[in-house]
């Protein structure tokens, strides 16, 4: 499965996220205590930008209406009736790359 380089590790501080275009998708990459995780950037509720959400540990809260997701898996942390796609992340040296296909 191909990976696309998106940024350097220093560009995403711990506890923050940034959005990148990966192929034909927009993906939010999170730094959780130095480990990097990627989920789709569009909230399944109404498309809120998850990279701009409130981040507490491995949970991001959508900035629009506060649905919450585990950024390590894409699972919803309250309710669990939906999820966001998650993507494998590779770090080589200081370069972060993200899979072009979601995890199955
Ligand atoms: S768009 Fe994310 S909670 Fe509504």
């Amino acid at each position: 499965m191909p990976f696309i380089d998106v940024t350097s590790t220093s560009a995403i501080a711990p506890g923050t996220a940034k959005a990148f275009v990966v192929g034909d998708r927009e993906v939010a990459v999170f730094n959780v205590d130095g480990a990097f995780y990627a989920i789709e950037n569009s909230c399944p509720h109404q498309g809120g930008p998850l990279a701009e959400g409130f981040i507490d540990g491995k949970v991001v809260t959508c900035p629009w209406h506060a649905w919450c997701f585990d950024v390590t898996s894409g699972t919803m942390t309250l309710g669990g009736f939906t999820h966001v796609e998650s993507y494998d992340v590779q770090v080589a040296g200081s370069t972060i790359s993200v899979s072009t296909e979601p995890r199955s």
Side-chain angles (χ1 to χ4, degrees), residues 40-48 50 62 67 69 74 76 82-84:
E40 63 180 298
N41 191 39
S42 178
C43 177
H45 181 217
Q46 292 182 357
L50 295 176
C62 179
W67 285 17
F69 301 92
M76 198 177 188
T82 188
H83 73 284
V84 290

Side-chain angles (χ1 to χ4, degrees), residues 5-25:
D5 294 350
V6 292
T7 192
S8 65
T9 51
S10 60
I12 308 175
T16 71
K18 283 188 178 166
F20 302 94
V21 173
V22 178
D24 58 358
R25 305 159 197 264

Side-chain angles (χ1 to χ4, degrees), residues 16-40:
T16 71
K18 283 188 178 166
F20 302 94
V21 173
V22 178
D24 58 358
R25 305 159 197 264
E26 190 165 313
V27 169
V29 179
F30 296 80
N31 180 336
V32 180
D33 296 330
F36 294 90
Y37 301 95
I39 58 175
E40 63 180 298

Side-chain angles (χ1 to χ4, degrees), residues 48-97:
L50 295 176
E52 298 172 24
F54 174 76
I55 302 166
D56 183 15
K58 63 180 187 175
V59 175
V60 63
T61 300
C62 179
W64 286 6
H65 319 97
W67 285 17
C68 301
F69 301 92
D70 181 330
V71 305
T72 70
S73 63
T75 56
M76 198 177 188
T77 59
L78 280 179
F81 51 86
T82 188
H83 73 284
V84 290
E85 300 286 5
S86 61
Y87 300 81
D88 287 330
V89 174
Q90 290 181 346
V91 178
S94 61
T95 300
I96 299 173
S97 50

